[in-house]
């Protein structure tokens, strides 16, 4: 229904009525207020200006008078003396006026700041002569804090000593400005002021105030400071803190025990200051307390304590610091601990972080020391040199008395070699009894210790000589085999590396081993020493993983030697006997050969080889042989041990099936057990978060040079799979043109391969994938009972690495 | 008439006091309260020695040294007065050719001795 527009009524907003008269009145009111304001400002401004002008004039008037007073001399003429007297009368008349008094006071205070010497003294006397200090006393009675404060300042500036008694009342004034001004005045006016202040102050002494007080004391002429140690017992902690600082400033080192006690103070500032004092005064007795306090100290105090220990400590503090190094979690403190250790015992701890592995420096090392490093060097450096070995400064020569002189590997006769084999067999047996096989890690540690101990304990001298062919070893200081810790042998056995260990201990070594090199080898420590007998090809594989060029093999087998393997074994068994005593070894008779082409030649190839032969209380060493298949398997197992992981389990089971040798089977079982412990769940193994899903080439690639990168890309072409795609894509983004081209090629190849694999693989994998099951491998299941078929392609991580290393080696050797 | 001294300082009280002391010491003193006045004075007359505060309106003591040494090519001795603790000013002043440097608070007697020494060099 529509309403006609004429019927719609809208009430309009109506403005209230306003009386215009009010508006006029308001305007007049604001105008008057504005006039009053501006007049007020003008009047006040004029008064201030006129006052300043009057003050200026008065200053100009007073200035010559003061000059006359300041420079009046008895030698003046009569006229000058008369003038002086007139001025005195005149000025006394003038100061009867308050304004004049204030101006005169202001002038004198200004001049006091600019003058020194005798003029200053005269000025101070004039101030008091004119009685201006009485005005300052009046100010002290004022209720306004700013007036009181200015009064104290005036009396302090004009050095009115009589005011001391009045000012000390303000020491504990609740108004901080008055209190601080009074503190400065008390310390300034009288020598004993500092004592009164430290005795009586109840309030906090701010840092800035401490500095000002110290500045006052410092500029006091002929000041003899009191023994500030008296206030170390103050109940006001700020007094204690200030006293400690004064003690340090004035070198008052009498209060040793008090300062040491203050290390246990609850306040950090006092602890820190006490530590500073201890450090400054070299209080060695505080070391024990410092160490006691350390555990409950705060972060800053811990660092201060470590700093103090670094200053005062001796090597006796090293165990404490080493313990801290292990237990301390805070990065800063841990760094400080290491710094302190190195301060006490320089270069005790060497850099370990981000130090590249030895193979990273292969080329450089080769250039620097082309021929010095031989087999023995490598073996020595692979030994995890304990810190103590650093202390061996020169050479260590090991010689076992009573050993047969003629036991040289290079020229030993058949019977001697058999004896060597016998002895080694005995050692192996002993070792087997001593150490359980289930503790491979502990064995490694034992090996580390055992290798370092004999060297240090015997005070031996190792001489590593860079002789081109023969290295001779003298062991003079070992009286019997009992002196030598042979606990390292289990490891040697397990890794088939006894030969090289023996070499390591018997080789005459000239250890000019750079620290850096040593560290690298510590990092690279793998206790996989060379096996008893190694084929050249297998040796080369090992060389490639470490320092290929530097490693010179101790032994190289010719074909004849390998063919005689079985015969040697039988002889070895016939010579085995527990009755042979390993009492005395003539290590000097042991010789090794080194050649540039990583070959070791047994001079007398016709001789029968035996690992250790014993003859007439002597011992000699020579290589031992396994069957080729067995040897291959062992080498493979050792490489798996070093490089492999749970993914090699299938391969290990395969090795067990293919080999009948007990040694191989046992070793394989060990590794199965080891990897079973490490075995992640299959789901985890192939999860995106797991590193194992990443390309094995990635790390090597980033460390490699351009040529090697090309080789790696070739390898990827052959063995790569979808895991390499990410790496290849990154190469496409950042690599050089040739690398990009190569990477593109490889990427396309891998993608094609992956597509083929996906097509050929059954789609049921996803549905019934074994990896979807949540299970773990059984740890103690005998390997023999398992019938797991190896993968068809056998492309495990280890296979890929082996293949890659072979290719690299072949490439490098043309 | 004694040797003439140009005293350049904007602090009236100190200038008055030093003026009094120097006159009493036998010197003829001309006081200027700012750098502009000093330069005007130096254009007309060269004193035997200049004693100048380092902080002045219009022209600092450092600029004054530079003006005297490089523009006026004068070897008139210059003694600079400054507050303590401004090492850079001291070094700059000596680099530009100041002969001596006195820090406040000043001993008028000491200043007199230094002036005498510089004039008699």
């Amino acid at each position: 229904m529509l309403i006609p527009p004429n019927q719609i009524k809208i009430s309009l907003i109506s403005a209230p009525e306003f009386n215009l008269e009010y508006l006029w009145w308001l305007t007049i009111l604001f105008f008057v207020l504005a006039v009053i304001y501006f007049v007020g400002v003008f009047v006040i401004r004029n008064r201030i200006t006129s006052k300043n002008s009057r003050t200026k004039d008065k200053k100009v008037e007073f200035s010559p008078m003061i000059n006359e007073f300041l420079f009046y001399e008895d030698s003046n003429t009569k006229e000058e003396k008369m003038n002086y007297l007139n001025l005195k009368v005149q000025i006394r008349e003038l100061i009867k006026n308050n304004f004049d008094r204030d101006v005169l006071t202001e002038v004198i205070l200004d001049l006091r700041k600019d003058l020194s010497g005798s003029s200053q003294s005269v000025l101070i006397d004039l101030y008091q002569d004119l009685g201006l200090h009485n005005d300052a006393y009046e100010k002290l009675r004022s209720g306004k804090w700013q007036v009181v404060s200015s009064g104290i300042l005036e009396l302090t500036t004009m050095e009115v000593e009589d005011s001391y008694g009045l000012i000390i009342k303000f020491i504990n004034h609740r108004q901080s400005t008055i209190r601080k001004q009074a503190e400065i005045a008390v310390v300034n006016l009288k020598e004993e002021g500092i004592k009164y202040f430290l005795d009586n102050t109840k309030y906090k002494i701010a840092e800035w105030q401490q500095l000002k007080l110290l500045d006052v004391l410092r500029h006091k002429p002929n000041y003899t400071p009191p023994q500030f140690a008296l206030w170390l017992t103050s109940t006001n902690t700020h007094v204690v803190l200030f006293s400690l600082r004064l003690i340090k400033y004035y070198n008052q080192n009498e209060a040793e025990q008090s300062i040491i006690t203050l290390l246990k103070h609850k306040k950090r500032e006092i602890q820190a200051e006490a530590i500073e004092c201890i450090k400054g005064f070299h209080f060695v007795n505080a070391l024990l307390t410092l160490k006691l306090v350390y555990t409950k100290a705060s972060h800053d105090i811990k660092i201060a304590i470590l700093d103090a220990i670094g200053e005062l400590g001796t090597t006796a503090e090293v165990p404490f610091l080493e313990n801290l190094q292990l237990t301390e979690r805070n990065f800063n403190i841990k760094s400080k601990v290491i710094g302190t250790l190195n301060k006490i015992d320089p270069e005790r701890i060497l850099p370990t972080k981000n130090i590249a592995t030895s193979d990273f420096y292969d080329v450089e090392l080769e250039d620097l020391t082309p021929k010095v490093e031989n087999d023995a060097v490598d073996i020595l450096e692979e030994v995890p040199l304990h810190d103590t070995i650093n202390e061996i400064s020169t050479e260590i020569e090991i010689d076992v008395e009573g050993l047969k002189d003629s036991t040289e590997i290079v020229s030993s006769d058949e019977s001697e070699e058999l004896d060597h084999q016998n002895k080694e067999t005995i050692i192996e047996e002993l070792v087997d009894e001593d150490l359980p096989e289930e503790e491979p890690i502990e064995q490694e540690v034992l090996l580390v210790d055992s290798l370092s101990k004999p060297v240090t304990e015997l005070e031996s001298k190792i001489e590593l000589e860079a002789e081109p062919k023969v290295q001779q070893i003298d062991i003079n200081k070992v009286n019997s085999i009992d002196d030598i810790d042979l606990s390292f042998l289990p490891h040697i056995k397990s890794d088939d590396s006894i030969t090289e260990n023996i070499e390591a201990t018997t080789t005459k070594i000239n250890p000019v081993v750079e620290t850096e090199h040593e560290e690298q080898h510590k990092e690279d420590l793998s206790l996989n020493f060379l096996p008893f007998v190694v084929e050249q090809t297998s040796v080369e594989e090992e060389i490639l993983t470490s320092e290929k060029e530097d490693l010179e093999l101790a032994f190289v087998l010719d074909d004849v030697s390998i063919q005689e393997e079985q015969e040697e074994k039988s002889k070895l068994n016939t010579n085995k006997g527990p009755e042979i005593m390993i009492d005395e070894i003539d290590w000097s008779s042991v010789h090794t050969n080194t050649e540039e082409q990583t070959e070791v030649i047994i001079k007398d190839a016709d001789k029968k080889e035996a690992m250790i032969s014993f003859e007439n209380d002597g011992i000699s060493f020579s290589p031992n042989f396994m069957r080729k298949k067995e040897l291959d398997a062992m080498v493979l197992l050792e490489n798996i041990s070093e490089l492999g992981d749970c993914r090699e389990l299938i391969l290990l089971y395969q090795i067990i099936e293919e080999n009948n040798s007990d040694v191989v089977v046992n070793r394989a079982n060990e590794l199965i057990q080891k990897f079973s412990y490490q075995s992640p769940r299959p789901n985890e193994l192939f999860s995106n978060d797991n590193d194992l899903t990443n390309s094995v080439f990635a790390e090597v690639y980033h460390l490699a040079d351009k040529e090697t990168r090309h080789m790696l890309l070739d390898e990827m072409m052959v063995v790569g799979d979808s895991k390499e795609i990410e790496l290849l894509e990154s190469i496409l983004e950042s690599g050089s043109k040739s690398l990009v081209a190569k990477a593109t090629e490889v990427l396309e190849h891998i993608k094609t391969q992956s597509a083929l694999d996906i097509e050929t693989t059954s789609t049921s994998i996803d549905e019934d994938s074994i990896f979807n099951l949540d299970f773990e491998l059984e740890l103690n299941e005998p390997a023999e009972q398992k019938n797991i078929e190896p993968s068809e392609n056998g492309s495990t991580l280890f296979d890929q690495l082996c293949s890659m290393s072979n290719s690299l080696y072949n490439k490098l050797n043309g | 008439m004694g040797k003439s001294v140009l005293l350049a300082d904007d602090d009236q009280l100190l200038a008055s006091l030093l003026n009094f002391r120097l006159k009493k010491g036998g010197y003829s003193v001309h006081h200027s309260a700012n750098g502009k006045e000093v330069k005007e004075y130096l254009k007309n007359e060269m004193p035997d020695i200049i004693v100048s505060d380092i902080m002045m309106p219009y022209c600092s003591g450092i600029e004054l040294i530079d003006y005297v040494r490089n523009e006026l090519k004068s070897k008139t001795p210059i003694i600079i007065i400054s507050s303590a603790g401004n090492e850079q000013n001291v070094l700059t002043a000596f680099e530009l050719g100041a002969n001596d440097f006195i820090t406040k608070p000043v001993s008028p007697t000491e200043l007199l001795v230094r002036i005498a020494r510089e004039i008699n060099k």
Side-chain angles (χ1 to χ4, degrees):
Chain A
M1 184 180 164
L2 292 170
I3 299 170
N6 54 357
Q7 291 181 10
I8 298 172
K9 292 180 179 177
I10 301 169
S11 57
L12 297 170
I13 298 167
S14 57
E17 290 182 4
F18 189 76
N19 193 343
L20 284 175
E21 281 185 14
Y22 292 141
L23 192 62
W24 283 113
W25 280 116
L26 274 173
T27 306
I28 292 164
L29 176 66
F30 282 116
F31 182 75
V32 171
L33 285 173
V35 169
I36 290 169
Y37 173 77
F38 283 110
V39 169
V41 169
F42 183 76
V43 169
I44 292 167
R45 181 181 172 277
N46 272 0
R47 281 182 65 180
I48 292 170
T49 309
S50 66
K51 190 184 177 185
N52 285 342
S53 178
R54 277 175 64 202
T55 305
K56 198 174 178 182
D57 292 342
K58 275 290 171 191
K59 280 184 177 179
V60 173
E61 189 183 341
F62 282 128
S63 181
M65 291 183 187
I66 292 169
N67 293 340
E68 286 288 344
F69 287 123
L70 287 180
F71 300 114
Y72 172 76
E73 292 170 1
D74 291 334
S75 59
N76 285 352
T77 59
K78 266 191 178 178
E79 278 184 14
E80 285 171 336
K81 283 181 180 176
M82 283 299 291
N83 190 26
Y84 175 75
L85 287 171
N86 285 336
L87 281 173
K88 253 194 167 177
V89 173
Q90 194 181 343
I91 205 165
R92 285 193 185 279
E93 287 297 320
L94 281 171
I95 60 175
K96 282 176 183 171
N97 182 298
N98 285 338
F99 177 74
D100 291 347
R101 284 176 71 86
D102 289 343
V103 173
L104 182 61
T105 306
E106 200 177 322
V107 168
I108 291 174
L109 285 171
D110 282 348
L111 282 176
R112 163 71 178 81
K113 290 174 194 168
D114 291 335
L115 291 178
S116 64
S118 59
S119 306
Q120 190 187 66
S121 307
V122 174
L123 199 68
I124 290 166
D125 291 340
L126 177 68
Y127 174 81
Q128 292 189 36
D129 279 350
L130 295 174
L132 298 175
H133 61 288
N134 292 322
D135 294 345
Y137 289 159
E138 286 298 319
K139 286 179 181 175
L140 294 183
R141 295 189 192 101
S142 171
K144 295 177 181 175
W145 64 266
Q146 65 271 28
V147 177
V148 176
S149 183
S150 68
I152 296 171
L153 175 65
E154 195 178 312
L155 292 166
T156 311
T157 307
M158 299 316 296
E159 299 176 15
V160 184
E161 285 191 14
D162 295 340
S163 65
Y164 177 80
L166 294 171
I167 293 173
I168 57 172
K169 290 188 290 187
F170 297 101
I171 283 285
N172 288 317
H173 198 279
R174 56 193 163 84
Q175 221 294 329
S176 65
T177 311
I178 295 175
R179 191 172 63 240
K180 287 174 184 174
Q181 200 65 60
E183 287 167 4
I184 292 169
V186 166
V187 173
N188 206 349
L189 290 173
K190 286 197 175 181
E191 199 165 305
E192 61 267 26
I194 183 71
K195 296 179 191 172
Y196 182 86
F197 164 65
L198 292 173
D199 277 335
N200 293 284
T201 188
K202 296 172 185 172
Y203 286 88
K204 175 185 176 180
I205 311 168
E207 295 284 323
W208 180 245
Q209 182 70 0
Q210 290 183 25
L211 287 173
K212 282 166 81 175
L213 290 168
L214 183 61
D215 193 53
V216 170
L217 291 174
R218 207 172 50 178
H219 287 101
K220 276 181 86 71
N222 305 320
Y223 176 67
T224 310
Q227 288 302 315
F228 292 109
L230 296 171
W231 288 279
L232 292 180
T233 54
S234 172
T235 51
N236 185 342
T237 51
H238 295 94
V239 170
V240 177
L241 184 62
F242 187 41
S243 301
L244 277 170
R245 286 173 178 165
L246 290 169
I247 283 170
K248 191 178 157 202
Y249 181 78
Y250 287 105
N251 291 320
Q252 298 175 345
N253 58 359
E254 293 87 358
E256 183 175 352
Q257 279 310 312
S258 300
I259 293 169
I260 291 171
T261 308
L262 284 174
L263 285 174
K264 298 171 187 170
H265 204 280
K266 288 177 182 174
K267 280 198 81 172
R268 286 185 201 174
E269 291 88 350
I270 292 178
Q271 278 186 312
E273 205 59 47
I275 291 167
E276 285 298 309
C277 284
I278 285 164
K279 217 162 60 174
F281 299 140
H282 212 80
F283 290 155
V284 182
N285 293 335
L287 278 168
L288 183 63
T289 316
L290 282 169
K291 286 189 269 187
L292 284 173
V293 167
Y294 181 88
T295 47
K296 288 186 178 179
S298 65
H299 179 276
D300 295 340
I301 298 300
K302 279 183 177 178
I303 287 178
I305 288 172
L306 289 170
D307 204 30
I309 290 174
E311 290 282 330
L312 313 175
T314 60
T315 48
E317 273 64 57
V318 168
F320 170 74
L321 292 168
E322 281 179 338
N323 185 36
L324 289 184
Q325 192 198 349
L326 296 173
T327 55
E328 199 58 69
R329 289 185 176 182
N330 184 287
F331 174 78
N332 293 339
I333 299 174
K334 196 166 186 176
S335 300
K336 189 72 187 173
V337 170
I338 292 168
T340 309
L341 266 171
N342 278 341
K343 196 171 183 180
I344 291 173
D345 189 5
E347 296 207 299
R348 184 175 189 86
I349 296 172
L350 299 172
T352 55
K353 191 81 177 174
N354 295 330
I355 304 296
T357 51
S358 60
D359 51 352
F360 187 75
Y361 293 108
D362 271 354
V363 178
E364 289 82 350
L365 285 173
E366 187 185 6
D367 294 341
L368 290 170
T369 56
K371 291 183 180 180
V372 172
E373 294 166 2
N374 50 26
D375 273 293
V377 175
D378 290 331
I379 294 161
L380 178 72
E381 290 175 352
E382 281 178 11
V383 171
L385 294 174
H386 193 269
D387 286 343
T388 50
I389 207 157
N390 293 330
E391 295 167 7
I392 301 170
S393 58
T394 54
E395 299 175 339
I396 300 172
E397 285 183 11
I398 303 168
D399 191 356
V400 179
E401 291 178 8
L403 266 177
K404 198 173 179 179
D405 293 332
S406 61
T407 53
E408 290 183 11
I409 290 173
V410 290
S411 60
S412 60
D413 58 35
E414 191 176 337
S415 61
E416 286 170 348
E417 288 164 359
L418 289 173
D419 283 344
H420 283 305
Q421 284 189 334
N422 280 340
K423 283 207 171 186
E424 184 179 319
T425 311
I426 292 165
I427 291 168
E428 286 178 27
E429 286 173 354
L430 290 169
V431 163
D432 286 340
E433 289 170 10
D434 290 338
L435 290 166
E437 292 181 2
E438 295 171 0
E439 297 173 1
I441 299 168
E442 284 77 6
Q443 285 176 10
E444 289 179 5
V445 175
L446 272 172
L447 176 61
V448 171
D449 292 335
S450 62
L451 282 173
S452 61
K453 277 177 185 173
V455 177
T456 53
E457 288 173 2
L458 295 169
E459 298 177 352
S460 314
K461 264 170 99 183
I462 297 173
E463 226 179 45
L464 190 149
E465 291 179 355
E467 291 174 8
K469 295 209 171 181
V470 179
Q471 290 187 339
Q472 190 164 2
I473 301 95
D474 291 330
I475 306 165
N476 295 319
K477 297 184 179 179
V478 179
N479 292 324
S480 72
I481 195 70
D482 296 334
D483 292 340
I484 303 171
D485 187 358
L486 292 173
S487 58
F488 60 90
L489 285 170
H491 183 83
I492 296 164
K493 177 192 175 271
S494 64
D495 292 342
D496 295 344
S497 58
I498 194 163
T499 310
E500 289 209 3
N501 263 319
I502 293 165
E503 283 178 22
T505 50
T506 57
T507 304
K508 198 173 181 183
I509 300 162
N510 189 1
V512 187
V513 182
E514 294 177 10
T515 311
E516 181 186 325
H517 206 172
E518 245 181 54
E519 286 299 312
Q520 288 170 8
H521 282 283
K522 282 179 188 175
E523 280 189 7
D524 294 338
L525 173 65
S526 66
L527 299 168
N528 298 320
F529 295 99
L530 289 173
F532 302 153
V533 176
V534 188
E535 269 193 15
Q536 191 169 356
T537 51
S538 61
V539 170
E540 286 167 357
E541 282 182 14
E542 285 209 359
I543 294 164
L544 197 66
T545 59
S546 59
E547 295 177 9
K548 182 181 70 61
E549 294 297 332
D550 299 333
L551 181 64
E552 295 178 7
L553 298 178
F555 305 100
V556 164
L557 304 178
D558 54 18
D559 294 332
V560 179
S561 303
I562 296 168
Q563 288 166 2
E564 292 174 354
E565 182 186 348
Q566 293 300 326
E567 189 180 346
E568 291 158 13
K569 267 202 156 184
S570 61
K571 288 188 177 181
L572 177 73
N573 290 332
T574 57
N575 286 314
K576 202 185 284 182
E579 70 279 4
I580 299 170
M581 301 299 292
I582 319 171
D583 287 337
E584 294 179 336
I585 305 169
D586 184 3
W587 297 82
S588 62
S589 63
V590 181
H591 289 260
T592 59
N593 281 347
T594 56
E595 283 190 14
E596 291 177 0
Q597 300 170 348
T598 65
E599 285 186 358
V600 177
I601 297 170
I602 301 173
K603 282 184 179 176
D604 190 354
D606 298 332
K607 304 294 179 190
K608 304 281 184 183
E609 289 84 5
M611 285 179 64
I612 305 175
S613 61
F614 297 91
E615 190 176 80
N616 299 332
D617 297 335
I619 184 169
S620 63
F621 303 92
S622 64
N624 186 23
F625 298 99
M626 290 180 177
R627 281 177 301 158
K628 189 173 186 307
K629 187 181 175 187
E630 193 180 347
L631 180 65
D632 287 343
M634 284 305 291
V635 171
L636 188 60
L637 285 171
E638 292 314 315
N639 286 329
I640 290 172
S641 171
E642 187 179 353
L643 303 169
D645 57 24
C646 57
R647 284 177 290 177
E648 321 307 340
L649 285 168
I650 295 168
L651 181 62
L652 289 168
Y653 289 126
Q654 190 183 3
I655 291 169
I656 289 169
E657 282 181 358
E658 290 172 356
N659 285 279
N660 297 324
S661 167
D662 290 341
V663 179
V664 174
V665 170
N666 287 337
R667 182 61 180 151
N669 277 328
E670 280 175 24
L671 294 178
I672 287 167
Q673 209 163 22
K674 176 182 168 185
F675 293 143
S676 296
Y677 278 114
Q678 296 173 354
S679 173
R681 293 178 181 185
N683 285 340
E684 293 169 3
L685 187 66
F686 291 94
S687 69
N688 290 329
D689 297 333
N690 199 316
D691 286 342
L692 295 173
T693 60
N694 295 331
S695 171
V696 293
F697 295 97
E699 190 177 347
V700 184
Y701 182 88
H702 291 304
L703 291 171
D705 56 14
K706 194 173 178 181
E707 189 183 351
T708 314
R709 286 180 176 184
H710 276 286
M711 290 160 61
L712 286 168
L713 286 169
D714 289 334
E715 286 302 319
M716 285 185 220
M717 179 76 93
V718 178
V719 298
D721 55 20
S722 56
K723 287 181 283 184
E724 271 69 60
I725 290 173
E726 193 180 341
L727 173 64
L728 289 165
E729 284 174 348
S730 70
I731 297 168
L732 291 179
E733 290 171 6
S734 58
S736 67
K737 284 182 181 175
S738 59
L739 285 171
V740 167
K742 190 92 179 177
T744 310
E745 190 186 342
V746 175
L747 187 60
E748 284 173 5
H749 176 77
I750 287 174
K751 281 181 176 174
T752 313
Q753 281 294 116
S754 301
L756 287 173
D757 288 342
I758 290 165
E759 284 172 13
T760 54
T761 308
S762 170
T763 52
S764 63
I765 288 172
D766 290 332
E767 294 167 10
D768 300 315
S769 172
I770 193 170
F771 301 123
N772 291 331
L773 298 174
D774 191 13
F775 69 92
E776 286 189 353
L777 295 170
E778 280 186 38
L779 301 180
N780 297 319
E781 191 175 350
E784 289 81 4
Q785 294 173 9
K786 301 203 172 187
N787 287 319
I788 301 171
E789 289 294 324
S791 61
E792 286 180 13
N793 57 7
S795 180
T796 62
L797 170 69
F798 172 71
D799 290 331
Q800 291 176 14
L801 285 170
C802 280
S803 172
M804 183 180 69
S805 61
N806 283 334
S807 299
L808 282 169
Y809 182 78
N810 291 331
K811 184 87 178 179
L812 288 170
N813 286 280
Chain B
M1 195 70 181
K3 300 277 185 182
S4 62
V5 178
L6 171 63
L7 182 63
D9 197 340
D10 60 326
D11 186 346
Q12 293 291 336
L13 279 174
L14 184 63
S16 166
L17 192 138
L18 294 176
N19 192 353
F20 181 85
R21 185 70 187 91
L22 290 172
K23 277 181 180 171
K24 203 174 180 183
Y27 292 97
S28 160
V29 182
H30 176 83
H31 172 237
S32 296
N34 60 62
K36 206 185 280 182
E37 284 181 25
V38 173
K39 283 185 177 178
E40 288 297 321
Y41 176 81
L42 288 174
K43 281 177 186 171
N44 302 320
E45 194 176 341
M46 186 56 69
D48 293 315
I49 189 165
I50 300 169
V51 178
S52 172
D53 189 8
I54 210 159
M55 299 295 290
M56 282 192 300
Y58 303 115
C59 174
S60 72
I62 301 292
E63 287 169 323
L64 179 64
I65 300 165
D66 187 48
Y67 177 73
V68 172
R69 292 285 182 262
N70 297 325
E71 289 191 31
L72 300 179
K73 306 289 182 189
S74 170
K75 292 184 178 178
T76 305
I78 301 172
I79 296 175
I80 293 293
I81 300 172
S82 176
S83 302
N86 200 337
E87 187 188 6
Q88 189 56 46
N89 279 343
V90 179
L91 294 175
T92 313
F94 278 115
E95 269 178 29
L96 289 170
N99 296 76
D100 206 350
F101 203 99
I102 295 177
T103 53
K104 288 179 183 176
V106 180
S107 166
T109 315
E110 183 188 334
L111 177 65
L112 207 65
V113 173
R114 286 177 185 266
I115 288 170
R117 192 188 64 176
E118 289 301 325
I119 288 174
N120 295 327
K121 266 186 180 175

